[in-house]
Amino acid sequence: MELEDTANSLANGLIEIGLSTGDRVVIMLPNCLNIAISMAAVAKAGGIIVPVSARLTGQEIKYLIDDSNPFAVIYSPDCRDVIKDLSAAKNFIKITTNVALKNEISLNQIISNRTSKPPHLSGKQNEEALLCYTSGTTGEPKGVISTHQNIIFGQCWLGALEWELHSTDRMLCITPMAHRIGIARLAGCFSLGSTLIIQEKFDPLMTIDLIEKENITHLGVVPTIVRMLLPQMEKYPAKCKTLKGILATGESFPIILKKRLFTALPDLQLYSFYSQTEAGLVSCLKPEQQETHPDSIGLPANGVEIRIVDRNLKDVPVESTGEMLVRCGKPGEATVMKRYFNRPDDTDAAFVDGWLRTGDLGRRDKDGYFYFVDRLKDMIISGGLNIYSREVEIALESYPGISEAAVIGVPDSLFGETVMAFLTCKELTSPPSNKELALHCQKLIASYKKPRHIHFLDQLPRNRNGKIAKAELRTLSEEVLDL
């Protein structure tokens, strides 16, 4: 009730300072109670939530703020310098979670003395609720618009049906709430009336202690989190006695990891599922299917249809590989996004007769189970976070003396995948060191996107069309890294 009242007060305060229906509000906060209050308040006020990770560089944050053109930005004090620089060029209201300085408003100032009754929105209600950014094939982020129906359908209806969640469950949010996986946990608990415990900063031992202390029943994670938690789960299985289920997405869940998890916690129920920012929940492999189809991404979620098509968008036979297309009602009605923000051409290209093109390659077996094969776009998933190769390549090629860069994902025991870069140099007496290139990249892209492995070549391999042959680079990476 306290959260409801505070969110209502903040929503009313946002409306009083000028928020109109459909306005965007950037929320750039770490995991904390204020991020939950802010997201709820923006939605109640008829605005659109724009979550932005504080882990991004100033340049990346600038792009997202420029593109979303927000009414306001809500941020923590450690982001003050970045926001100060941006606000000089953009006319948005600066809202801090701490004591306000010049040209700032604090959250408490907006909440204070405002009614805690739900805000009254005059005129047509705004169906759009969330603007999450993903990356395109060029590495340029695109904003994905999700509706209130998307959230309710995906997190309430499917949460209950696919993951068997109830109002009595206690979910621990470990992943950043500025990312879609964290937002989903918050929306799910709002929709189902269950309890959410927010972990401010992930630490494996602290997580195990929280599971015991708070009687946690479910975790929403990426497999990398499980890799980090497993040593503690194996050491202290009794602390996880209340843990009933894990919801895992973000990358394929390795079979060897499943075996270790089930050995440590034999009664645990694992729901591994395939999802996208644009598509929402697509398919789910349920606990009883983990042993019978361990490498599958499961069956289509309730109400979701999946097709596997060739380059001409024609259905392919069973067991054949092709691009996965997804449909669930009309765009914006159920799981699939409504549109890309301010990108009508990209929206038109993403849909074919109502089907969303996922850009991912998959196959279907004779029993109807689906399998993730590869990505049409050169995306790398490291620790559940998407990294597009082109944005890393652009950062590397901006270093003086680097002629060309080609980036691929290579296996990593902790993060699932990590970034490997192949580079050519322009008449340099000696190539730059890995440390020099890493420091250069950190100025342009988030730290987790920088290459972990770097290999220099005289020239990059190309196919007959002159395009870089990344398949050859993947083969070469196995030799270089002795995979």
Side-chain angles (χ1 to χ4, degrees), residues 323-334:
E323 183 180 2
M324 290 189 282
L325 305 188
V326 176
R327 181 172 70 180
C328 189
K330 295 180 180 179
E333 282 189 347

mmCIF file with all atom_site columns, all heavy atoms in Angstrom, residues 323-334:
data_model
loop_
_atom_site.group_PDB
_atom_site.id
_atom_site.type_symbol
_atom_site.label_atom_id
_atom_site.label_alt_id
_atom_site.label_comp_id
_atom_site.label_asym_id
_atom_site.label_entity_id
_atom_site.label_seq_id
_atom_site.pdbx_PDB_ins_code
_atom_site.Cartn_x
_atom_site.Cartn_y
_atom_site.Cartn_z
_atom_site.occupancy
_atom_site.B_iso_or_equiv
_atom_site.pdbx_formal_charge
_atom_site.auth_seq_id
_atom_site.auth_comp_id
_atom_site.auth_asym_id
_atom_site.auth_atom_id
_atom_site.pdbx_PDB_model_num
ATOM 1  N N   . GLU A 1 323 ? 14.828 -18.783 -40.680 1.00 0.00 ? 323 GLU A N   1
ATOM 2  C CA  . GLU A 1 323 ? 14.555 -17.678 -39.763 1.00 0.00 ? 323 GLU A CA  1
ATOM 3  C C   . GLU A 1 323 ? 13.245 -17.925 -39.016 1.00 0.00 ? 323 GLU A C   1
ATOM 4  O O   . GLU A 1 323 ? 12.255 -18.389 -39.607 1.00 0.00 ? 323 GLU A O   1
ATOM 5  C CB  . GLU A 1 323 ? 14.464 -16.353 -40.515 1.00 0.00 ? 323 GLU A CB  1
ATOM 6  C CG  . GLU A 1 323 ? 14.245 -15.161 -39.577 1.00 0.00 ? 323 GLU A CG  1
ATOM 7  C CD  . GLU A 1 323 ? 14.143 -13.824 -40.284 1.00 0.00 ? 323 GLU A CD  1
ATOM 8  O OE1 . GLU A 1 323 ? 14.202 -13.809 -41.534 1.00 0.00 ? 323 GLU A OE1 1
ATOM 9  O OE2 . GLU A 1 323 ? 13.987 -12.806 -39.597 1.00 0.00 ? 323 GLU A OE2 1
ATOM 10 N N   . MET A 1 324 ? 13.242 -17.596 -37.742 1.00 0.00 ? 324 MET A N   1
ATOM 11 C CA  . MET A 1 324 ? 12.034 -17.751 -36.934 1.00 0.00 ? 324 MET A CA  1
ATOM 12 C C   . MET A 1 324 ? 11.164 -16.506 -37.046 1.00 0.00 ? 324 MET A C   1
ATOM 13 O O   . MET A 1 324 ? 11.627 -15.387 -36.810 1.00 0.00 ? 324 MET A O   1
ATOM 14 C CB  . MET A 1 324 ? 12.389 -18.016 -35.469 1.00 0.00 ? 324 MET A CB  1
ATOM 15 C CG  . MET A 1 324 ? 12.993 -19.375 -35.232 1.00 0.00 ? 324 MET A CG  1
ATOM 16 S SD  . MET A 1 324 ? 13.180 -19.792 -33.472 1.00 0.00 ? 324 MET A SD  1
ATOM 17 C CE  . MET A 1 324 ? 14.640 -18.851 -33.075 1.00 0.00 ? 324 MET A CE  1
ATOM 18 N N   . LEU A 1 325 ? 9.891  -16.719 -37.423 1.00 0.00 ? 325 LEU A N   1
ATOM 19 C CA  . LEU A 1 325 ? 8.893  -15.657 -37.428 1.00 0.00 ? 325 LEU A CA  1
ATOM 20 C C   . LEU A 1 325 ? 7.919  -15.927 -36.297 1.00 0.00 ? 325 LEU A C   1
ATOM 21 O O   . LEU A 1 325 ? 7.573  -17.080 -36.009 1.00 0.00 ? 325 LEU A O   1
ATOM 22 C CB  . LEU A 1 325 ? 8.128  -15.618 -38.758 1.00 0.00 ? 325 LEU A CB  1
ATOM 23 C CG  . LEU A 1 325 ? 8.927  -15.494 -40.062 1.00 0.00 ? 325 LEU A CG  1
ATOM 24 C CD1 . LEU A 1 325 ? 7.974  -15.269 -41.231 1.00 0.00 ? 325 LEU A CD1 1
ATOM 25 C CD2 . LEU A 1 325 ? 9.942  -14.379 -39.985 1.00 0.00 ? 325 LEU A CD2 1
ATOM 26 N N   . VAL A 1 326 ? 7.445  -14.860 -35.655 1.00 0.00 ? 326 VAL A N   1
ATOM 27 C CA  . VAL A 1 326 ? 6.581  -15.001 -34.476 1.00 0.00 ? 326 VAL A CA  1
ATOM 28 C C   . VAL A 1 326 ? 5.328  -14.157 -34.646 1.00 0.00 ? 326 VAL A C   1
ATOM 29 O O   . VAL A 1 326 ? 5.381  -13.033 -35.159 1.00 0.00 ? 326 VAL A O   1
ATOM 30 C CB  . VAL A 1 326 ? 7.336  -14.558 -33.195 1.00 0.00 ? 326 VAL A CB  1
ATOM 31 C CG1 . VAL A 1 326 ? 6.418  -14.595 -31.978 1.00 0.00 ? 326 VAL A CG1 1
ATOM 32 C CG2 . VAL A 1 326 ? 8.557  -15.441 -32.962 1.00 0.00 ? 326 VAL A CG2 1
ATOM 33 N N   . ARG A 1 327 ? 4.202  -14.700 -34.165 1.00 0.00 ? 327 ARG A N   1
ATOM 34 C CA  . ARG A 1 327 ? 2.952  -13.943 -34.171 1.00 0.00 ? 327 ARG A CA  1
ATOM 35 C C   . ARG A 1 327 ? 2.154  -14.284 -32.922 1.00 0.00 ? 327 ARG A C   1
ATOM 36 O O   . ARG A 1 327 ? 2.114  -15.437 -32.485 1.00 0.00 ? 327 ARG A O   1
ATOM 37 C CB  . ARG A 1 327 ? 2.129  -14.281 -35.426 1.00 0.00 ? 327 ARG A CB  1
ATOM 38 C CG  . ARG A 1 327 ? 0.809  -13.508 -35.529 1.00 0.00 ? 327 ARG A CG  1
ATOM 39 C CD  . ARG A 1 327 ? 0.138  -13.750 -36.880 1.00 0.00 ? 327 ARG A CD  1
ATOM 40 N NE  . ARG A 1 327 ? -0.368 -15.124 -36.989 1.00 0.00 ? 327 ARG A NE  1
ATOM 41 C CZ  . ARG A 1 327 ? -0.994 -15.589 -38.078 1.00 0.00 ? 327 ARG A CZ  1
ATOM 42 N NH1 . ARG A 1 327 ? -1.149 -14.804 -39.140 1.00 0.00 ? 327 ARG A NH1 1
ATOM 43 N NH2 . ARG A 1 327 ? -1.419 -16.830 -38.109 1.00 0.00 ? 327 ARG A NH2 1
ATOM 44 N N   . CYS A 1 328 ? 1.516  -13.274 -32.343 1.00 0.00 ? 328 CYS A N   1
ATOM 45 C CA  . CYS A 1 328 ? 0.629  -13.486 -31.189 1.00 0.00 ? 328 CYS A CA  1
ATOM 46 C C   . CYS A 1 328 ? -0.406 -12.366 -31.210 1.00 0.00 ? 328 CYS A C   1
ATOM 47 O O   . CYS A 1 328 ? -0.214 -11.304 -30.613 1.00 0.00 ? 328 CYS A O   1
ATOM 48 C CB  . CYS A 1 328 ? 1.422  -13.481 -29.888 1.00 0.00 ? 328 CYS A CB  1
ATOM 49 S SG  . CYS A 1 328 ? 0.460  -13.980 -28.439 1.00 0.00 ? 328 CYS A SG  1
ATOM 50 N N   . GLY A 1 329 ? -1.482 -12.585 -31.936 1.00 0.00 ? 329 GLY A N   1
ATOM 51 C CA  . GLY A 1 329 ? -2.455 -11.516 -32.130 1.00 0.00 ? 329 GLY A CA  1
ATOM 52 C C   . GLY A 1 329 ? -1.860 -10.426 -32.996 1.00 0.00 ? 329 GLY A C   1
ATOM 53 O O   . GLY A 1 329 ? -0.877 -10.626 -33.707 1.00 0.00 ? 329 GLY A O   1
ATOM 54 N N   . LYS A 1 330 ? -2.438 -9.238  -32.939 1.00 0.00 ? 330 LYS A N   1
ATOM 55 C CA  . LYS A 1 330 ? -1.905 -8.105  -33.685 1.00 0.00 ? 330 LYS A CA  1
ATOM 56 C C   . LYS A 1 330 ? -0.756 -7.468  -32.905 1.00 0.00 ? 330 LYS A C   1
ATOM 57 O O   . LYS A 1 330 ? -0.693 -7.593  -31.685 1.00 0.00 ? 330 LYS A O   1
ATOM 58 C CB  . LYS A 1 330 ? -3.007 -7.075  -33.935 1.00 0.00 ? 330 LYS A CB  1
ATOM 59 C CG  . LYS A 1 330 ? -4.123 -7.563  -34.835 1.00 0.00 ? 330 LYS A CG  1
ATOM 60 C CD  . LYS A 1 330 ? -5.178 -6.467  -35.030 1.00 0.00 ? 330 LYS A CD  1
ATOM 61 C CE  . LYS A 1 330 ? -6.305 -6.961  -35.935 1.00 0.00 ? 330 LYS A CE  1
ATOM 62 N NZ  . LYS A 1 330 ? -7.355 -5.914  -36.125 1.00 0.00 ? 330 LYS A NZ  1
ATOM 63 N N   . PRO A 1 331 ? 0.174  -6.783  -33.589 1.00 0.00 ? 331 PRO A N   1
ATOM 64 C CA  . PRO A 1 331 ? 1.275  -6.112  -32.884 1.00 0.00 ? 331 PRO A CA  1
ATOM 65 C C   . PRO A 1 331 ? 0.766  -5.200  -31.766 1.00 0.00 ? 331 PRO A C   1
ATOM 66 O O   . PRO A 1 331 ? -0.123 -4.384  -31.969 1.00 0.00 ? 331 PRO A O   1
ATOM 67 C CB  . PRO A 1 331 ? 1.955  -5.302  -33.997 1.00 0.00 ? 331 PRO A CB  1
ATOM 68 C CG  . PRO A 1 331 ? 1.676  -6.079  -35.245 1.00 0.00 ? 331 PRO A CG  1
ATOM 69 C CD  . PRO A 1 331 ? 0.294  -6.639  -35.059 1.00 0.00 ? 331 PRO A CD  1
ATOM 70 N N   . GLY A 1 332 ? 1.345  -5.387  -30.576 1.00 0.00 ? 332 GLY A N   1
ATOM 71 C CA  . GLY A 1 332 ? 0.969  -4.563  -29.429 1.00 0.00 ? 332 GLY A CA  1
ATOM 72 C C   . GLY A 1 332 ? -0.174 -5.120  -28.610 1.00 0.00 ? 332 GLY A C   1
ATOM 73 O O   . GLY A 1 332 ? -0.462 -4.611  -27.526 1.00 0.00 ? 332 GLY A O   1
ATOM 74 N N   . GLU A 1 333 ? -0.833 -6.175  -29.088 1.00 0.00 ? 333 GLU A N   1
ATOM 75 C CA  . GLU A 1 333 ? -2.005 -6.707  -28.378 1.00 0.00 ? 333 GLU A CA  1
ATOM 76 C C   . GLU A 1 333 ? -1.638 -7.750  -27.331 1.00 0.00 ? 333 GLU A C   1
ATOM 77 O O   . GLU A 1 333 ? -2.312 -7.862  -26.305 1.00 0.00 ? 333 GLU A O   1
ATOM 78 C CB  . GLU A 1 333 ? -2.983 -7.337  -29.370 1.00 0.00 ? 333 GLU A CB  1
ATOM 79 C CG  . GLU A 1 333 ? -3.826 -6.340  -30.118 1.00 0.00 ? 333 GLU A CG  1
ATOM 80 C CD  . GLU A 1 333 ? -4.922 -7.010  -30.935 1.00 0.00 ? 333 GLU A CD  1
ATOM 81 O OE1 . GLU A 1 333 ? -4.866 -8.260  -31.116 1.00 0.00 ? 333 GLU A OE1 1
ATOM 82 O OE2 . GLU A 1 333 ? -5.830 -6.302  -31.384 1.00 0.00 ? 333 GLU A OE2 1
ATOM 83 N N   . ALA A 1 334 ? -0.610 -8.560  -27.620 1.00 0.00 ? 334 ALA A N   1
ATOM 84 C CA  . ALA A 1 334 ? -0.284 -9.649  -26.703 1.00 0.00 ? 334 ALA A CA  1
ATOM 85 C C   . ALA A 1 334 ? 1.200  -9.625  -26.344 1.00 0.00 ? 334 ALA A C   1
ATOM 86 O O   . ALA A 1 334 ? 1.630  -8.822  -25.526 1.00 0.00 ? 334 ALA A O   1
ATOM 87 C CB  . ALA A 1 334 ? -0.701 -10.982 -27.322 1.00 0.00 ? 334 ALA A CB  1
#
